[in-house]
Amino acid sequence: MTYTVHAKRWANGWELHVDGEGVTQSRSLATAERTVREYLSLLHDREVDDEITIVPELGRKLTADLAKARRAVTELAVQQKKAAALSRATARELADAGLKGAEIATVLGVSPQRVSQLLNA
């Protein structure tokens, strides 16, 4: 089961509205998940190890900016994987063409240690 928690900022921290369960509070968003787990454990008289999704309510603009930032980070991770694969393939091709490690490093603009990593990956 997944619990969705809408976190609303207030003067003393965050109100944590747990869908279908009720409301609790946390001084910090960083401790919200633990607080919700403790709240649900007391409410249901059992340890709760279900997934908990904290959704901070930050306003329309900040929520949109956050979504853009997360998309950019995801896209960057994809590009990094592609770049790493391309670097490995290119390093291998350069080695197969007879270039030595230091020469490959110069051509790729990386350290000789990185060339070693690329060739041994």
Side-chain angles (χ1 to χ4, degrees):
M1 175 172 198
T2 299
Y3 291 97
T4 300
V5 180
H6 298 275
K8 299 178 181 181
R9 188 87 172 111
W10 70 297
N12 295 315
W14 294 84
E15 283 185 349
L16 306 172
H17 298 257
V18 185
D19 285 355
E21 299 291 338
V23 180
T24 188
Q25 300 168 345
S26 177
R27 288 198 182 275
S28 164
L29 197 56
T31 60
E33 182 177 341
R34 182 181 49 179
T35 300
V36 169
R37 285 191 189 285
E38 290 170 359
Y39 171 75
L40 291 171
S41 293
L42 289 171
L43 192 65
H44 296 290
D45 196 29
R46 67 173 176 83
E47 188 173 325
V48 174
D49 59 356
D50 301 47
E51 184 176 335
I52 295 175
T53 301
I54 307 291
V55 181
E57 294 188 2
L58 303 169
R60 184 174 292 166
K61 182 183 180 329
L62 281 174
T63 299
D65 290 348
L66 177 59
K68 286 179 192 175
R70 286 183 175 167
R71 275 193 305 275
V73 168
T74 299
E75 291 168 5
L76 178 60
V78 169
Q79 292 302 317
Q80 284 177 320
K81 286 182 182 180
K82 288 180 181 178
L86 185 57
S87 293
R88 283 190 301 274
T90 303
R92 174 59 43 216
E93 289 175 27
L94 291 168
D96 291 346
L99 277 72
K100 303 294 181 204
E103 294 169 324
I104 295 170
T106 300
V107 170
L108 291 179
V110 299
S111 70
Q113 293 83 2
R114 180 66 182 138
V115 170
S116 180
Q117 291 172 341
L118 292 169
L119 294 175
N120 293 319

